[in-house]
Amino acid sequence: MVPQDMATPTHIKEFEMKSIAIIGLGQMGSTLARLLLEAGFEVHVWNRSPGKTAALAEAGAHLAATPADAASRAQFAVMCVHDHAAAMEILSQQGVWHALKGKALLQFTTFSPQEAAAASEAARAHGMAYLSGAIQVAPEQMGKPDTTILLSGPRTAADSANAVLAALGGNVVWLGERAAAAAIMDLATLSFVYGATAGFLQGAALAQREGLDLEHYGAIVQAMSPSFGEFLRHEAKVIASGDFAVTQSPLSISVNATRRIHGAMHEAGLDATLPAVIAQLLERAVAQGYGGEELAAAVKVIGVKS
Ligand SMILES: NC(=O)c1ccc[n+]([C@@H]2O[C@H](COP(=O)([O-])OP(=O)(O)OC[C@H]3O[C@@H](n4cnc5c(N)ncnc54)[C@H](OP(=O)(O)O)[C@@H]3O)[C@@H](O)[C@H]2O)c1
């Protein structure tokens, strides 16, 4: 059962969504508007600086004078602006909440989990449904079959936005009714992205210092990424199950590997801070008795109990 404080206002009905308001036409917002126009939606757009609306108007978008104007003309609103402060500034403009009453707002502006929960509560108090969205790709990768979009909020609102979401990406993952869920998962996936990127850059520096071809490096990393993704998915299941018996990769192997990376970076005269931190994390796991367990057992050092 859906907890009362997360329930969709009862007057928000499922309907065939045809007209959409897009509030914010930066890199991402203008991509959303273009994709929805291409999918045949009636699109009403508003942006703080009017200069960004010309190309969309030529493509068939209707220009709104204010965010309230855009919201009042559409059945469903999508917001995608710089940050939480910008989004709240827009929502507090005269007539915006009123124009959204009885409708749903899909918030694609990146919010913290706390900001998402508070915005959802405010939206509910104004009689509208609130969906938190987190786009996992850059604008160029939007609208593709594997484009991942995280979503949380009332199921009925998410269902009624199916056609809108399908035009934006082929892999829409609804994470439940809790408004903060999409923002939390966004932080979790970003943690992976930036951790992997930092490791990638370390590897690039080492390969370059040793005179290897960086295009080869990039191609090798790309080729190994799908199977690495499978491995990480397995490790997530291991953590969820709490059974860290070795099935794929013993933690002790990775201790040795990260020590070797640290040594090679150090000897090459490169900054070895990151491999040192990773090696230390794994060494702490060994010191706490997890050396004979699956690699994922290192999560217990970070704070997850077995
Ligand atoms: N681009 C990406 O790769 C990407 C990927 C995932 C998620 N996102 C998220 O999507 C959101 C938008 O990103 P973006 O790349 O489209 O950013 P952007 O190109 O910098 O555009 C920012 C937008 O916010 C508007 N804005 C800023 N402050 C405002 C204010 N006080 N009042 C009204 N409008 C304001 C800007 O209006 P003006 O034109 O008037 O300046 C512009 O439309 C961000 O929260 C970002 O984290 C972006």
PDB file of all heavy atoms in Angstrom, residues 24-29 46-49 52 80-83 86 89-90 108-110 135-139, ligand 1:
ATOM      1  N   GLY A  24      12.426  25.702 -19.042  1.00  0.00           N
ATOM      2  CA  GLY A  24      13.891  25.637 -19.025  1.00  0.00           C
ATOM      3  C   GLY A  24      14.400  25.024 -20.317  1.00  0.00           C
ATOM      4  O   GLY A  24      14.119  23.864 -20.621  1.00  0.00           O
ATOM      5  N   LEU A  25      15.121  25.843 -21.083  1.00  0.00           N
ATOM      6  CA  LEU A  25      15.591  25.377 -22.402  1.00  0.00           C
ATOM      7  C   LEU A  25      17.109  25.487 -22.508  1.00  0.00           C
ATOM      8  O   LEU A  25      17.643  26.040 -23.466  1.00  0.00           O
ATOM      9  CB  LEU A  25      14.923  26.192 -23.518  1.00  0.00           C
ATOM     10  CG  LEU A  25      13.401  26.094 -23.577  1.00  0.00           C
ATOM     11  CD1 LEU A  25      12.855  27.076 -24.602  1.00  0.00           C
ATOM     12  CD2 LEU A  25      12.941  24.672 -23.896  1.00  0.00           C
ATOM     13  N   GLY A  26      17.783  24.954 -21.486  1.00  0.00           N
ATOM     14  CA  GLY A  26      19.235  24.854 -21.583  1.00  0.00           C
ATOM     15  C   GLY A  26      19.587  23.694 -22.499  1.00  0.00           C
ATOM     16  O   GLY A  26      18.765  23.253 -23.322  1.00  0.00           O
ATOM     17  N   GLN A  27      20.798  23.184 -22.355  1.00  0.00           N
ATOM     18  CA  GLN A  27      21.233  22.059 -23.199  1.00  0.00           C
ATOM     19  C   GLN A  27      20.244  20.896 -23.100  1.00  0.00           C
ATOM     20  O   GLN A  27      19.843  20.318 -24.107  1.00  0.00           O
ATOM     21  CB  GLN A  27      22.622  21.567 -22.760  1.00  0.00           C
ATOM     22  CG  GLN A  27      23.725  22.567 -22.948  1.00  0.00           C
ATOM     23  CD  GLN A  27      23.884  22.967 -24.404  1.00  0.00           C
ATOM     24  OE1 GLN A  27      23.681  22.177 -25.311  1.00  0.00           O
ATOM     25  NE2 GLN A  27      24.227  24.217 -24.633  1.00  0.00           N
ATOM     26  N   MET A  28      19.865  20.560 -21.878  1.00  0.00           N
ATOM     27  CA  MET A  28      18.998  19.394 -21.703  1.00  0.00           C
ATOM     28  C   MET A  28      17.539  19.720 -22.014  1.00  0.00           C
ATOM     29  O   MET A  28      16.860  18.971 -22.719  1.00  0.00           O
ATOM     30  CB  MET A  28      19.149  18.855 -20.276  1.00  0.00           C
ATOM     31  CG  MET A  28      18.490  17.515 -20.056  1.00  0.00           C
ATOM     32  SD  MET A  28      19.030  16.254 -21.239  1.00  0.00           S
ATOM     33  CE  MET A  28      20.457  15.558 -20.409  1.00  0.00           C
ATOM     34  N   GLY A  29      17.052  20.856 -21.483  1.00  0.00           N
ATOM     35  CA  GLY A  29      15.636  21.196 -21.693  1.00  0.00           C
ATOM     36  C   GLY A  29      15.299  21.345 -23.165  1.00  0.00           C
ATOM     37  O   GLY A  29      14.238  20.893 -23.624  1.00  0.00           O
ATOM     38  N   TRP A  46       8.980  27.560 -22.257  1.00  0.00           N
ATOM     39  CA  TRP A  46       9.345  28.841 -21.629  1.00  0.00           C
ATOM     40  C   TRP A  46      10.797  28.757 -21.191  1.00  0.00           C
ATOM     41  O   TRP A  46      11.262  27.718 -20.702  1.00  0.00           O
ATOM     42  CB  TRP A  46       8.479  29.142 -20.402  1.00  0.00           C
ATOM     43  CG  TRP A  46       8.931  30.412 -19.722  1.00  0.00           C
ATOM     44  CD1 TRP A  46       8.568  31.688 -20.046  1.00  0.00           C
ATOM     45  CD2 TRP A  46       9.863  30.537 -18.633  1.00  0.00           C
ATOM     46  NE1 TRP A  46       9.211  32.602 -19.240  1.00  0.00           N
ATOM     47  CE2 TRP A  46      10.015  31.915 -18.355  1.00  0.00           C
ATOM     48  CE3 TRP A  46      10.591  29.621 -17.871  1.00  0.00           C
ATOM     49  CZ2 TRP A  46      10.847  32.410 -17.353  1.00  0.00           C
ATOM     50  CZ3 TRP A  46      11.434  30.104 -16.873  1.00  0.00           C
ATOM     51  CH2 TRP A  46      11.556  31.487 -16.618  1.00  0.00           C
ATOM     52  N   ASN A  47      11.522  29.846 -21.409  1.00  0.00           N
ATOM     53  CA  ASN A  47      12.882  29.957 -20.898  1.00  0.00           C
ATOM     54  C   ASN A  47      13.101  31.368 -20.398  1.00  0.00           C
ATOM     55  O   ASN A  47      12.546  32.331 -20.951  1.00  0.00           O
ATOM     56  CB  ASN A  47      13.895  29.622 -22.001  1.00  0.00           C
ATOM     57  CG  ASN A  47      15.286  29.434 -21.425  1.00  0.00           C
ATOM     58  OD1 ASN A  47      15.511  28.542 -20.606  1.00  0.00           O
ATOM     59  ND2 ASN A  47      16.229  30.279 -21.820  1.00  0.00           N
ATOM     60  N   ARG A  48      13.899  31.492 -19.335  1.00  0.00           N
ATOM     61  CA  ARG A  48      14.165  32.825 -18.755  1.00  0.00           C
ATOM     62  C   ARG A  48      14.703  33.789 -19.812  1.00  0.00           C
ATOM     63  O   ARG A  48      14.213  34.903 -19.964  1.00  0.00           O
ATOM     64  CB  ARG A  48      15.148  32.673 -17.589  1.00  0.00           C
ATOM     65  CG  ARG A  48      15.503  33.977 -16.923  1.00  0.00           C
ATOM     66  CD  ARG A  48      16.487  33.752 -15.801  1.00  0.00           C
ATOM     67  NE  ARG A  48      17.753  33.185 -16.261  1.00  0.00           N
ATOM     68  CZ  ARG A  48      18.818  32.999 -15.488  1.00  0.00           C
ATOM     69  NH1 ARG A  48      18.741  33.295 -14.214  1.00  0.00           N
ATOM     70  NH2 ARG A  48      19.928  32.480 -15.979  1.00  0.00           N
ATOM     71  N   SER A  49      15.725  33.340 -20.573  1.00  0.00           N
ATOM     72  CA  SER A  49      16.274  34.206 -21.642  1.00  0.00           C
ATOM     73  C   SER A  49      15.591  33.827 -22.941  1.00  0.00           C
ATOM     74  O   SER A  49      15.674  32.676 -23.363  1.00  0.00           O
ATOM     75  CB  SER A  49      17.775  33.979 -21.805  1.00  0.00           C
ATOM     76  OG  SER A  49      18.384  33.930 -20.542  1.00  0.00           O
ATOM     77  N   LYS A  52      16.772  31.563 -26.532  1.00  0.00           N
ATOM     78  CA  LYS A  52      16.907  30.125 -26.781  1.00  0.00           C
ATOM     79  C   LYS A  52      15.658  29.480 -27.382  1.00  0.00           C
ATOM     80  O   LYS A  52      15.638  28.274 -27.620  1.00  0.00           O
ATOM     81  CB  LYS A  52      17.257  29.414 -25.478  1.00  0.00           C
ATOM     82  CG  LYS A  52      18.647  29.771 -24.981  1.00  0.00           C
ATOM     83  CD  LYS A  52      18.998  29.029 -23.701  1.00  0.00           C
ATOM     84  CE  LYS A  52      20.377  29.447 -23.225  1.00  0.00           C
ATOM     85  NZ  LYS A  52      20.669  28.999 -21.861  1.00  0.00           N
ATOM     86  N   CYS A  80      13.360  21.672 -16.317  1.00  0.00           N
ATOM     87  CA  CYS A  80      14.765  21.286 -16.388  1.00  0.00           C
ATOM     88  C   CYS A  80      15.602  22.566 -16.402  1.00  0.00           C
ATOM     89  O   CYS A  80      15.903  23.106 -17.458  1.00  0.00           O
ATOM     90  CB  CYS A  80      15.016  20.446 -17.640  1.00  0.00           C
ATOM     91  SG  CYS A  80      16.677  19.727 -17.660  1.00  0.00           S
ATOM     92  N   VAL A  81      15.919  23.052 -15.211  1.00  0.00           N
ATOM     93  CA  VAL A  81      16.730  24.271 -15.100  1.00  0.00           C
ATOM     94  C   VAL A  81      17.995  23.975 -14.302  1.00  0.00           C
ATOM     95  O   VAL A  81      18.228  22.837 -13.875  1.00  0.00           O
ATOM     96  CB  VAL A  81      15.916  25.443 -14.487  1.00  0.00           C
ATOM     97  CG1 VAL A  81      14.843  25.906 -15.460  1.00  0.00           C
ATOM     98  CG2 VAL A  81      15.325  25.062 -13.147  1.00  0.00           C
ATOM     99  N   HIS A  82      18.789  25.023 -14.097  1.00  0.00           N
ATOM    100  CA  HIS A  82      20.144  24.846 -13.563  1.00  0.00           C
ATOM    101  C   HIS A  82      20.193  24.043 -12.257  1.00  0.00           C
ATOM    102  O   HIS A  82      20.911  23.053 -12.150  1.00  0.00           O
ATOM    103  CB  HIS A  82      20.769  26.229 -13.369  1.00  0.00           C
ATOM    104  CG  HIS A  82      22.157  26.191 -12.856  1.00  0.00           C
ATOM    105  ND1 HIS A  82      23.184  25.601 -13.546  1.00  0.00           N
ATOM    106  CD2 HIS A  82      22.689  26.642 -11.684  1.00  0.00           C
ATOM    107  CE1 HIS A  82      24.295  25.711 -12.841  1.00  0.00           C
ATOM    108  NE2 HIS A  82      24.023  26.328 -11.718  1.00  0.00           N
ATOM    109  N   ASP A  83      19.429  24.497 -11.251  1.00  0.00           N
ATOM    110  CA  ASP A  83      19.518  23.824  -9.949  1.00  0.00           C
ATOM    111  C   ASP A  83      18.232  24.045  -9.148  1.00  0.00           C
ATOM    112  O   ASP A  83      17.277  24.666  -9.625  1.00  0.00           O
ATOM    113  CB  ASP A  83      20.756  24.314  -9.174  1.00  0.00           C
ATOM    114  CG  ASP A  83      20.720  25.820  -8.890  1.00  0.00           C
ATOM    115  OD1 ASP A  83      19.703  26.472  -9.222  1.00  0.00           O
ATOM    116  OD2 ASP A  83      21.711  26.344  -8.354  1.00  0.00           O
ATOM    117  N   ALA A  86      16.972  27.659  -8.747  1.00  0.00           N
ATOM    118  CA  ALA A  86      16.313  28.181  -9.960  1.00  0.00           C
ATOM    119  C   ALA A  86      14.910  27.596 -10.087  1.00  0.00           C
ATOM    120  O   ALA A  86      13.949  28.305 -10.414  1.00  0.00           O
ATOM    121  CB  ALA A  86      17.156  27.841 -11.191  1.00  0.00           C
ATOM    122  N   GLU A  89      12.591  29.138  -7.573  1.00  0.00           N
ATOM    123  CA  GLU A  89      12.310  30.536  -7.962  1.00  0.00           C
ATOM    124  C   GLU A  89      11.177  30.552  -8.998  1.00  0.00           C
ATOM    125  O   GLU A  89      10.266  31.380  -8.938  1.00  0.00           O
ATOM    126  CB  GLU A  89      13.593  31.120  -8.552  1.00  0.00           C
ATOM    127  CG  GLU A  89      13.669  32.625  -8.562  1.00  0.00           C
ATOM    128  CD  GLU A  89      15.009  33.076  -9.175  1.00  0.00           C
ATOM    129  OE1 GLU A  89      16.062  32.613  -8.722  1.00  0.00           O
ATOM    130  OE2 GLU A  89      14.957  33.881 -10.123  1.00  0.00           O
ATOM    131  N   ILE A  90      11.239  29.637  -9.940  1.00  0.00           N
ATOM    132  CA  ILE A  90      10.206  29.575 -10.992  1.00  0.00           C
ATOM    133  C   ILE A  90       8.864  29.168 -10.386  1.00  0.00           C
ATOM    134  O   ILE A  90       7.828  29.779 -10.659  1.00  0.00           O
ATOM    135  CB  ILE A  90      10.636  28.589 -12.098  1.00  0.00           C
ATOM    136  CG1 ILE A  90      11.836  29.148 -12.855  1.00  0.00           C
ATOM    137  CG2 ILE A  90       9.472  28.303 -13.055  1.00  0.00           C
ATOM    138  CD1 ILE A  90      12.516  28.156 -13.779  1.00  0.00           C
ATOM    139  N   PHE A 108      13.127  17.438 -13.843  1.00  0.00           N
ATOM    140  CA  PHE A 108      14.400  16.896 -14.314  1.00  0.00           C
ATOM    141  C   PHE A 108      15.596  17.724 -13.841  1.00  0.00           C
ATOM    142  O   PHE A 108      16.735  17.386 -14.123  1.00  0.00           O
ATOM    143  CB  PHE A 108      14.426  16.803 -15.844  1.00  0.00           C
ATOM    144  CG  PHE A 108      13.864  15.516 -16.385  1.00  0.00           C
ATOM    145  CD1 PHE A 108      13.079  15.517 -17.531  1.00  0.00           C
ATOM    146  CD2 PHE A 108      14.139  14.302 -15.770  1.00  0.00           C
ATOM    147  CE1 PHE A 108      12.570  14.331 -18.047  1.00  0.00           C
ATOM    148  CE2 PHE A 108      13.634  13.112 -16.272  1.00  0.00           C
ATOM    149  CZ  PHE A 108      12.851  13.127 -17.411  1.00  0.00           C
ATOM    150  N   THR A 109      15.317  18.841 -13.146  1.00  0.00           N
ATOM    151  CA  THR A 109      16.434  19.599 -12.556  1.00  0.00           C
ATOM    152  C   THR A 109      17.078  18.711 -11.496  1.00  0.00           C
ATOM    153  O   THR A 109      16.371  18.072 -10.716  1.00  0.00           O
ATOM    154  CB  THR A 109      15.896  20.877 -11.887  1.00  0.00           C
ATOM    155  OG1 THR A 109      15.116  21.593 -12.836  1.00  0.00           O
ATOM    156  CG2 THR A 109      17.023  21.733 -11.344  1.00  0.00           C
ATOM    157  N   THR A 110      18.410  18.671 -11.455  1.00  0.00           N
ATOM    158  CA  THR A 110      19.070  17.830 -10.459  1.00  0.00           C
ATOM    159  C   THR A 110      18.850  18.389  -9.060  1.00  0.00           C
ATOM    160  O   THR A 110      19.208  19.537  -8.784  1.00  0.00           O
ATOM    161  CB  THR A 110      20.576  17.738 -10.770  1.00  0.00           C
ATOM    162  OG1 THR A 110      20.725  17.213 -12.092  1.00  0.00           O
ATOM    163  CG2 THR A 110      21.277  16.827  -9.777  1.00  0.00           C
ATOM    164  N   ILE A 135      18.199  12.222 -15.147  1.00  0.00           N
ATOM    165  CA  ILE A 135      18.677  11.781 -16.459  1.00  0.00           C
ATOM    166  C   ILE A 135      20.117  11.303 -16.315  1.00  0.00           C
ATOM    167  O   ILE A 135      20.947  11.997 -15.728  1.00  0.00           O
ATOM    168  CB  ILE A 135      18.562  12.954 -17.457  1.00  0.00           C
ATOM    169  CG1 ILE A 135      17.084  13.281 -17.698  1.00  0.00           C
ATOM    170  CG2 ILE A 135      19.271  12.623 -18.760  1.00  0.00           C
ATOM    171  CD1 ILE A 135      16.847  14.578 -18.455  1.00  0.00           C
ATOM    172  N   GLN A 136      20.399  10.133 -16.856  1.00  0.00           N
ATOM    173  CA  GLN A 136      21.713   9.510 -16.645  1.00  0.00           C
ATOM    174  C   GLN A 136      22.665   9.688 -17.829  1.00  0.00           C
ATOM    175  O   GLN A 136      23.718   9.048 -17.870  1.00  0.00           O
ATOM    176  CB  GLN A 136      21.526   8.014 -16.365  1.00  0.00           C
ATOM    177  CG  GLN A 136      20.652   7.723 -15.159  1.00  0.00           C
ATOM    178  CD  GLN A 136      21.308   8.158 -13.858  1.00  0.00           C
ATOM    179  OE1 GLN A 136      22.202   7.516 -13.355  1.00  0.00           O
ATOM    180  NE2 GLN A 136      20.848   9.284 -13.311  1.00  0.00           N
ATOM    181  N   VAL A 137      22.292  10.518 -18.778  1.00  0.00           N
ATOM    182  CA  VAL A 137      23.135  10.684 -19.970  1.00  0.00           C
ATOM    183  C   VAL A 137      23.241  12.167 -20.337  1.00  0.00           C
ATOM    184  O   VAL A 137      22.503  13.003 -19.806  1.00  0.00           O
ATOM    185  CB  VAL A 137      22.565   9.910 -21.196  1.00  0.00           C
ATOM    186  CG1 VAL A 137      22.513   8.422 -20.924  1.00  0.00           C
ATOM    187  CG2 VAL A 137      21.194  10.448 -21.584  1.00  0.00           C
ATOM    188  N   ALA A 138      24.134  12.476 -21.262  1.00  0.00           N
ATOM    189  CA  ALA A 138      24.260  13.842 -21.783  1.00  0.00           C
ATOM    190  C   ALA A 138      23.198  14.054 -22.868  1.00  0.00           C
ATOM    191  O   ALA A 138      22.638  13.073 -23.390  1.00  0.00           O
ATOM    192  CB  ALA A 138      25.658  14.028 -22.360  1.00  0.00           C
ATOM    193  N   PRO A 139      22.902  15.324 -23.224  1.00  0.00           N
ATOM    194  CA  PRO A 139      21.832  15.580 -24.201  1.00  0.00           C
ATOM    195  C   PRO A 139      21.948  14.761 -25.494  1.00  0.00           C
ATOM    196  O   PRO A 139      20.942  14.272 -26.013  1.00  0.00           O
ATOM    197  CB  PRO A 139      21.963  17.082 -24.470  1.00  0.00           C
ATOM    198  CG  PRO A 139      22.520  17.635 -23.196  1.00  0.00           C
ATOM    199  CD  PRO A 139      23.436  16.584 -22.653  1.00  0.00           C
TER     200      PRO A 139
HETATM  201  N1  LIG B   1      23.464  18.553 -19.647  1.00  0.00           N
HETATM  202  C1  LIG B   1      23.600  17.362 -19.119  1.00  0.00           C
HETATM  203  O1  LIG B   1      24.442  16.565 -19.563  1.00  0.00           O
HETATM  204  C2  LIG B   1      22.701  16.912 -17.999  1.00  0.00           C
HETATM  205  C3  LIG B   1      22.577  15.536 -17.734  1.00  0.00           C
HETATM  206  C4  LIG B   1      21.748  15.125 -16.697  1.00  0.00           C
HETATM  207  C5  LIG B   1      21.073  16.048 -15.926  1.00  0.00           C
HETATM  208  N2  LIG B   1      21.219  17.387 -16.195  1.00  0.00           N
HETATM  209  C6  LIG B   1      20.520  18.348 -15.338  1.00  0.00           C
HETATM  210  O2  LIG B   1      19.605  19.112 -16.108  1.00  0.00           O
HETATM  211  C7  LIG B   1      19.504  20.429 -15.558  1.00  0.00           C
HETATM  212  C8  LIG B   1      19.731  21.446 -16.675  1.00  0.00           C
HETATM  213  O3  LIG B   1      21.001  21.197 -17.235  1.00  0.00           O
HETATM  214  P1  LIG B   1      21.451  21.863 -18.622  1.00  0.00           P
HETATM  215  O4  LIG B   1      22.624  21.091 -19.081  1.00  0.00           O
HETATM  216  O5  LIG B   1      20.264  22.023 -19.497  1.00  0.00           O
HETATM  217  O6  LIG B   1      21.954  23.291 -18.084  1.00  0.00           O
HETATM  218  P2  LIG B   1      22.180  24.643 -18.913  1.00  0.00           P
HETATM  219  O7  LIG B   1      22.397  24.377 -20.347  1.00  0.00           O
HETATM  220  O8  LIG B   1      23.212  25.416 -18.156  1.00  0.00           O
HETATM  221  O9  LIG B   1      20.774  25.373 -18.757  1.00  0.00           O
HETATM  222  C9  LIG B   1      20.342  25.885 -17.541  1.00  0.00           C
HETATM  223  C10 LIG B   1      18.922  26.342 -17.675  1.00  0.00           C
HETATM  224  O10 LIG B   1      18.487  26.829 -16.393  1.00  0.00           O
HETATM  225  C11 LIG B   1      17.942  28.132 -16.604  1.00  0.00           C
HETATM  226  N3  LIG B   1      18.094  28.910 -15.375  1.00  0.00           N
HETATM  227  C12 LIG B   1      19.204  29.057 -14.622  1.00  0.00           C
HETATM  228  N4  LIG B   1      18.929  29.826 -13.549  1.00  0.00           N
HETATM  229  C13 LIG B   1      17.627  30.206 -13.660  1.00  0.00           C
HETATM  230  C14 LIG B   1      16.763  30.984 -12.863  1.00  0.00           C
HETATM  231  N5  LIG B   1      17.172  31.560 -11.723  1.00  0.00           N
HETATM  232  N6  LIG B   1      15.482  31.123 -13.264  1.00  0.00           N
HETATM  233  C15 LIG B   1      15.043  30.554 -14.418  1.00  0.00           C
HETATM  234  N7  LIG B   1      15.815  29.793 -15.218  1.00  0.00           N
HETATM  235  C16 LIG B   1      17.100  29.618 -14.831  1.00  0.00           C
HETATM  236  C17 LIG B   1      18.721  28.710 -17.767  1.00  0.00           C
HETATM  237  O11 LIG B   1      18.034  29.802 -18.295  1.00  0.00           O
HETATM  238  P3  LIG B   1      18.804  30.919 -19.169  1.00  0.00           P
HETATM  239  O12 LIG B   1      18.843  30.376 -20.572  1.00  0.00           O
HETATM  240  O13 LIG B   1      17.972  32.119 -19.004  1.00  0.00           O
HETATM  241  O14 LIG B   1      20.179  31.072 -18.571  1.00  0.00           O
HETATM  242  C18 LIG B   1      18.743  27.486 -18.683  1.00  0.00           C
HETATM  243  O15 LIG B   1      17.501  27.308 -19.324  1.00  0.00           O
HETATM  244  C19 LIG B   1      20.560  20.531 -14.438  1.00  0.00           C
HETATM  245  O16 LIG B   1      19.932  20.409 -13.169  1.00  0.00           O
HETATM  246  C20 LIG B   1      21.482  19.370 -14.721  1.00  0.00           C
HETATM  247  O17 LIG B   1      22.095  18.866 -13.544  1.00  0.00           O
HETATM  248  C21 LIG B   1      22.004  17.834 -17.228  1.00  0.00           C
END
